Amino acid sequence: MREVSPWLGWVDTLTGLEAKTRRTFEALDGLLERVIADHRRRRRPGPGGDGRPDVDGAGADDDHRDFVDVLLDVNEMDNDAGLRLGTDSIKAIIMDVFAAGTDTSSTVLGWAMAELMNHPDEMRRLQAEVRGAIAGKDADRRDVTEEHLDRMPYLKAVISETMRLHAPAPLLIPRETTEDTELLGHSVPARTRVDFRSVPFGAGRRGCPGAGFAAPTVELALANLLYHFDWPAPTAHGGGVGTPPVDLSEVYGLSVRLKTPLILVAKPWLG
Ligand code: HEM
């Protein structure tokens, strides 16, 4: 309420929303403080004496460095760009990426599974592709890894179609022209809302910076689910003959998710 009509801010105090917001903030802030403090404790000067932080004593280019270490590097090291991030900025970036990256990816996975349950032929075709791509010597490893994904064009098509049908953030963050402009001979007035068709990751300067990371994440998760398990169709949701087994009604939140939780039985596939 405070954001929409500041003079009605007292309503938020009365309903307890303000106190709840503060408690949530303190819990999240405390968690981020602990994560950063934990990373700082594990870092110590590298053996080369170059001042580059070393993690777990395993050397400066240790694989175990994570996103928080990279942010702390920017904070702690001399860098040519003269960029230095304070602890508050580091916390804000972690929250931004965490919030933007988790709900969206798991939502796409949920929609893909729901659509596949309602399209058994496509499910069979995709499962055959996934299992075929890691047949032979790779089958011993019993896991789909990033190297296999190039052999799965249908998997990418399924995920792309899932995001076209159920873009997790369909309204994006609104864009409008800032001034009157001319485009290909057409005049576009200031404040015109710009509309695209299928842009699940948004577009332009504020487009999703995690798109390149999200694609293999969702592909790997879906491919592994389909490789290791068979998925018997659930009983139709009360709509009678011809009703698809999974109800695809949507509910809005930070991302658009399935209204009814997707509960499936996973039957392990032993090859
Ligand atoms: C399938 C998964 C994902 C989808 C569908 C998705 C979609 C989007 C969309 C639509 C936006 C708004 C873009 C705009 O307004 O034009 C966005 C923003 C953003 N995404 Fe993603 N995203 C996904 C995964 C990720 C991942 C894995 C990360 C990070 C690891 C991430 C980080 C971000 C960040 C930081 C922003 C805010 C960019 C800004 O400052 O405006 N996203 N994402």
Side-chain angles (χ1 to χ4, degrees), residues 96-97 100-101 104 108 168 172-173 175 200-203 206-210 213-214:
D96 193 29
V97 171
T104 43
V108 172
L172 301 179
I173 299 162
R175 307 286 204 285
F201 292 104
R206 295 303 296 269
C208 174
F213 182 61

Side-chain angles (χ1 to χ4, degrees), residues 128-147:
E129 177 183 90
V130 170
R131 290 176 180 170
I134 45 179
K137 66 178 171 50
D138 281 2
D140 300 340
R141 290 165 48 192
R142 304 208 57 79
D143 255 330
V144 185
T145 61
E146 267 186 81
E147 305 110 63

Side-chain angles (χ1 to χ4, degrees), residues 13 39 41 118 139 166 194 197 208 212 224 253 271:
T13 314
H39 278 73
R41 224 183 353 265
N118 283 355
H166 310 283
V194 184
R197 270 182 293 172
C208 174
N224 272 296

